[in-house]
Amino acid sequence: MTKILFFDATNSWILAGCYLKTEDGKLEKVSEYRELHNRESSLLLIKEISHCLKVSNWEKPDIIVTTTGPGSFTGIRISVATARNFSQIWNVPVLGIDSLELYTCQYYAESESSVCVGIEAKQGKIYFGLRDSRGYWGTLDIAPDLIPETIPEDRIGSYLTGIKFSDSPEFFAGTNMKENLPSPEASLLEKSGDIKKALSKPEDHSYLHLVPNYLRGTYADDKPKVYYT
């Protein structure tokens, strides 16, 4: 069996849990935490991870899986830094997953229909992801009214007829994600091959290889660069 520690603090919730991947390919939830915690991840993430490990009676996992963004700049930094630190301390591989890819995977498994996820991203935009029977299409940083003209023609039907999920329904209409928080279980099953590769070649999935997916540059990117001699 493979012991998987998962956590996500990239958006306005904390997801954490310990999962066992059995030899026959099934996933068993050992412990789990899912709650809204906007701007509290720096205080609560490690606490909830520690609690999940204690409940599971694990000293350490075999692999860490975490979301890397997009989402809150601070939340992404906390998720990635926490995963890096634990990976280094425990000497276990770490696998990063696009946040919207993970969210759409769970909602698609639950609804058995094409799904879209929109995360409010300020500046009049959302982080947008689409999944249908062909899999995950991709992640955009986009104004909602530009989505139809950006999605390729062969996927526009999935967008128009699919179920939409949103963390800010007043800005991007859809089922409120805060009333049905995502879960990692479907994505952990989907990523079984990647998890297996990471375990077989841990040197390719060390903490040094985990990078944040900010998607959008920070305000500092727009400032003129100053070089010192």
Side-chain angles (χ1 to χ4, degrees), residues 27-66:
L27 191 72
E28 176 185 338
K29 178 171 64 181
V30 185
S31 62
E32 182 184 61
Y33 181 85
R34 292 194 297 160
E35 292 291 342
L36 288 170
H37 286 297
N38 194 23
R39 300 182 180 178
E40 295 179 298
S41 55
S42 61
L43 301 174
L44 296 174
L45 179 59
I46 292 178
K47 174 186 174 183
E48 298 305 335
I49 290 172
S50 299
H51 179 71
C52 285
L53 289 169
K54 182 178 181 181
V55 170
S56 303
N57 197 28
W58 293 2
E59 289 188 8
K60 68 174 187 176
D62 298 318
I63 186 171
I64 297 167
V65 178
T66 189

Side-chain angles (χ1 to χ4, degrees), residues 39-211:
R39 300 182 180 178
E40 295 179 298
S41 55
S42 61
L43 301 174
L44 296 174
L45 179 59
I46 292 178
K47 174 186 174 183
E48 298 305 335
I49 290 172
S50 299
H51 179 71
C52 285
L53 289 169
K54 182 178 181 181
V55 170
S56 303
N57 197 28
W58 293 2
E59 289 188 8
K60 68 174 187 176
D62 298 318
I63 186 171
I64 297 167
V65 178
T66 189
T67 49
T68 57
S72 156
F73 179 83
T74 301
I76 293 170
R77 185 176 61 190
I78 290 169
S79 279
V80 171
T82 301
R84 284 174 173 171
N85 289 339
F86 279 136
S87 174
Q88 185 176 18
I89 290 168
W90 290 327
N91 191 29
V92 298
V94 58
L95 179 67
I97 301 177
D98 179 290
S99 300
L100 273 76
E101 181 180 359
L102 183 135
Y103 304 156
T104 58
C105 192
Q106 186 65 33
Y107 292 138
Y108 179 82
E110 291 176 356
S111 63
E112 298 182 344
S113 170
S114 301
V115 297
C116 306
V117 167
I119 301 290
E120 201 274 323
K122 303 188 185 303
Q123 300 179 20
K125 294 182 177 181
I126 60 170
Y127 297 127
F128 172 84
L130 167 68
R131 181 182 292 268
D132 59 18
S133 60
R134 286 167 287 183
Y136 188 63
W137 172 68
T139 304
L140 298 174
D141 176 14
I142 191 169
D145 58 350
L146 296 180
I147 294 172
E149 64 188 62
T150 305
I151 295 177
E153 186 176 345
D154 64 338
R155 292 289 183 100
I156 192 66
S158 297
Y159 169 69
L160 295 175
T161 63
I163 300 173
K164 295 175 176 60
F165 294 85
S166 173
D167 71 335
S168 299
E170 67 280 1
F171 181 64
F172 177 70
T175 300
N176 194 341
M177 297 173 69
K178 294 178 181 178
E179 297 176 358
N180 179 23
L181 292 179
S183 165
E185 294 179 48
S187 190
L188 292 177
L189 286 170
E190 182 180 65
K191 296 291 183 181
S192 293
D194 293 331
I195 291 172
K196 186 175 181 180
K197 287 178 184 177
L199 290 166
S200 64
K201 289 190 174 182
E203 66 277 7
D204 293 338
H205 293 82
S206 77
Y207 68 96
L208 294 172
H209 295 283
L210 186 69
V211 296

